[in-house]
Structures are given as C-alpha cells and as structure tokens.
Amino acid sequence: MPLRVLGISGSLRKASYNTALLRLAGELLPPGMTMEIFDLSTLPLFNQDTEKPFPPSVEDFRSCIAQADAVLIASPEYNGSISGVLKNAIDWASRPPKHPLNGKPVAIMGASTGNFGTVRAQMHLRHVLTYIGALPLGKPDVFVARAEQIFDAEGNVTDETTRKFVRDLLFALKKWVHVTSQT
Ligand SMILES: Cc1cc2nc3c(=O)[nH]c(=O)nc-3n(C[C@H](O)[C@H](O)[C@H](O)COP(=O)(O)O)c2cc1C
C-alpha cells in the first residue's frame, strides 16, 4: 500500500506560491507515496455553535486527514505568523471526538516573498501542532525566501536547490511515518 499524504496550503490565492510548492512536492514524491491536496476554501469560519454536527466540508476535511498516513502543510507567513485560513482549518481539525491530527505525522514547508521564507510562521505552526498532539517532523527545513524569484508565472520551479530541499523533506517524511508508527 502506498503512503497517502494529504497536502494543505495555507493560502487561498489562485497564484499562491505555497500551493505551487505543494504541487512541486506532488511532482517529487518518492516511490510508494501518493498525495492529494485539500482545498481549505471549502471550510467555513470556525464557530463553536456550529460544530454539532460538523458542517459537511469540515467532516470531509477531518476524514481526509484521518485516512491519510501523513499531512504536508505549505504555510505562508502573515505578519510573522501563520495565516488565519490555516489556523481556522487546524482549529476545526482539533475538535473532539477523536481529532484526526492527534498522533499524525506532519511535514512543514513554506514560501514567502520576505527574506526569511516563513521561518517565524513555521515556528508558530510547530507550536500549534505540538500543542494538539500532532507529530511535526523536525528536519529538514524548507524555507523558500523571495519566492517571486524562485517560481515562474505558472508556479513552476526550476531552481535545483529548492527542488532538492522539497525532495529531501518528502524522503524524511516517508521515514518519519515509519518511525512514528512503531511508537
Ligand atoms: C497580510 C499579509 C501579511 C504578510 N506578512 C508577511 C510576513 O510576516 N513575512 C513575510 O515573509 N511575508 C509576508 N507577507 C507576504 C507574503 O509572503 C506573500 O504575500 C506571499 O505571496 C503569500 O503566500 P502565497 O503566495 O502562498 O499566497 C504578507 C502578506 C500578507 C497578505
């Protein structure tokens, strides 16, 4: 059985660098790994009054996470942190019963037009994921800085260094899934 990865982009922008980074990951998957991308624009804003029952798109999101062996998040950086879109999605996923990110291996990467390539956002994301019991992969880091110089107008990446970082992250995620399934 191939390892199933659920890809999530924290940006809804059509020409999003982070969504393009996820597509790049889809191209560079190691053998024995498949990826589907979940579109976070289907999720409503979290409201505790509307979680019993969960809205259908939230049920769908939670079951996609539950069925995946791992999650790959491409996070933009907004004002030194993660986007509201991404936090909203994590909040929906984190609710009982049996929240599907608990114990789930998660790899993180991110692209921004700034000089630090989402370092601050990824630190915040690690904090949130760890808090809810997900298992974020430590290394390697994928910080794509000055993204407008790395992606072309169609979102393609020819830069070999970036491609290598993403490939290495995916190989490490594959190992991480095996390590975490033995504990
Ligand atoms: C509200 C807002 C805040 C931003 N804050 C940061 C920031 O703190 N650091 C950074 O590197 N880029 C920041 N940016 C620029 C983003 O890196 C840039 O818009 C990037 O393209 C967003 O990711 P996307 O292409 O996936 O949509 C900000 C952009 C917006 C819209």
Side-chain angles (χ1 to χ4, degrees), residues 17-116:
Y17 296 126
N18 285 283
T19 307
L21 194 60
L22 268 187
R23 286 199 304 268
L24 175 65
E27 275 174 39
L28 300 175
L29 290 174
M33 194 181 244
T34 62
M35 185 173 81
E36 272 182 36
I37 295 180
F38 191 94
D39 176 7
L40 295 187
S41 70
T42 61
L43 301 180
L45 284 179
F46 181 77
N47 178 342
Q48 219 178 332
D49 291 337
T50 63
E51 61 177 347
K52 283 185 183 149
F54 290 120
S57 61
V58 172
E59 276 295 0
D60 185 30
F61 180 50
R62 289 168 61 97
S63 90
C64 285
I65 297 171
Q67 285 163 28
D69 298 298
V71 173
L72 173 62
I73 299 178
S75 175
E77 181 167 283
Y78 282 0
N79 299 318
S81 186
I82 62 176
S83 63
V85 165
L86 180 55
K87 183 62 163 53
N88 184 61
I90 293 172
D91 288 342
W92 276 120
S94 71
R95 300 296 291 159
K98 282 178 51 165
H99 93 68
L101 282 171
N102 192 31
K104 187 71 66 179
V106 181
I108 296 171
M109 57 185 184
S112 84
T113 53
N115 286 332
F116 301 108

Side-chain angles (χ1 to χ4, degrees), residues 159-177:
D159 176 56
E160 256 319 309
T161 309
T162 305
R163 294 176 72 88
K164 180 180 181 326
F165 278 133
V166 172
R167 203 180 286 116
D168 289 352
L169 180 72
L170 292 165
F171 273 88
L173 178 60
K174 196 172 173 190
K175 277 196 200 143
W176 187 230
V177 171

Side-chain angles (χ1 to χ4, degrees), residues 132-176:
I132 64 172
L135 303 174
L137 170 65
K139 281 192 174 188
D141 291 314
V142 180
F143 302 127
V144 182
R146 294 180 288 280
E148 72 285 1
Q149 297 172 21
I150 300 291
F151 293 87
D152 71 14
E154 281 74 48
N156 300 311
V157 176
T158 50
D159 176 56
E160 256 319 309
T161 309
T162 305
R163 294 176 72 88
K164 180 180 181 326
F165 278 133
V166 172
R167 203 180 286 116
D168 289 352
L169 180 72
L170 292 165
F171 273 88
L173 178 60
K174 196 172 173 190
K175 277 196 200 143
W176 187 230

